[in-house]
């Protein structure tokens, strides 16, 4: 089962956008969920991760203070609230499940699974 990110779009610099990640179809256990992004011509990079039960989260320095993650346990859905968006935030955003047993605080793609197709976020004036 792949996790599906949604909610992307075209926004102006300084605007806000909220992405959603639907994990309701997942049958496996996971620590939580991670967000990654891939800009054109660049490698995919870690954005942040949140624990399902704890609600604790950690972020990449590039988004700290601007992006906030949350989750709805009942809906098994996670959210990425993005504020003060910059052109350099333009990317395809992905969510993936944090594999049980992998370390908390990891930013490695290989510690996450069930990648979906991602959602495009474009920040441009």
């Amino acid at each position: 089962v792949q996790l599906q990110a949604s909610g992307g779009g075209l926004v102006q610099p300084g605007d806000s956008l909220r992405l959603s990640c639907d994990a309701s179809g997942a049958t496996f256990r996971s620590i939580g969920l991670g967000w990654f992004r891939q800009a054109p011509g660049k490698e995919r990079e870690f954005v942040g991760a949140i624990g399902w039960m704890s609600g604790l989260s950690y972020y990449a320095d590039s988004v700290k203070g601007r992006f906030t993650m949350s989750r709805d346990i009942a809906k098994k859905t996670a959210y990425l609230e993005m504020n003060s968006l910059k052109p350099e935030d333009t990317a395809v955003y992905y969510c993936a499940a944090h594999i049980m047993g992998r370390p908390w605080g990891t930013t490695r793609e290989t510690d996450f699974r069930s990648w979906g197709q991602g959602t495009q976020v474009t920040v441009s004036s």
Side-chain angles (χ1 to χ4, degrees), residues 35-39 43-47 62 88 107 109:
W35 289 94
F36 289 74
R37 66 185 182 185
Q38 186 167 22
E43 294 187 352
R44 190 154 56 186
E45 64 174 3
F46 175 80
V47 173
S62 59
E88 51 263 44
T107 62
E109 288 186 48

Side-chain angles (χ1 to χ4, degrees), residues 29-33 50-56 71 73-74 100 104:
R29 293 179 65 193
S30 67
I31 296 174
L33 187 142
I50 186 168
W52 280 121
M53 299 310 296
S54 67
L56 295 174
R71 85 278 186 246
I73 297 174
M100 187 71 73
W104 179 253

Side-chain angles (χ1 to χ4, degrees), residues 4 10 109:
Q4 185 58 53
L10 172 62
E109 288 186 48

Side-chain angles (χ1 to χ4, degrees), residues 58-124:
Y58 56 98
Y59 301 86
D61 288 342
S62 59
V63 305
K64 202 173 293 183
R66 298 188 300 122
F67 290 12
T68 303
M69 290 176 290
S70 61
R71 85 278 186 246
D72 184 324
I73 297 174
K75 293 182 179 179
K76 217 167 179 184
T77 300
Y79 304 96
L80 179 65
E81 183 77 33
M82 305 184 294
N83 298 314
S84 302
L85 282 162
K86 305 175 182 179
E88 51 263 44
D89 294 318
T90 295
V92 177
Y93 283 71
Y94 301 87
C95 58
H98 192 157
I99 299 171
M100 187 71 73
R102 300 300 172 91
W104 179 253
T106 182
T107 62
R108 300 186 307 179
E109 288 186 48
T110 53
D111 290 331
F112 296 83
R113 61 177 284 190
S114 300
W115 301 82
Q117 290 186 339
T119 186
Q120 176 71 48
V121 173
T122 303
V123 184
S124 176

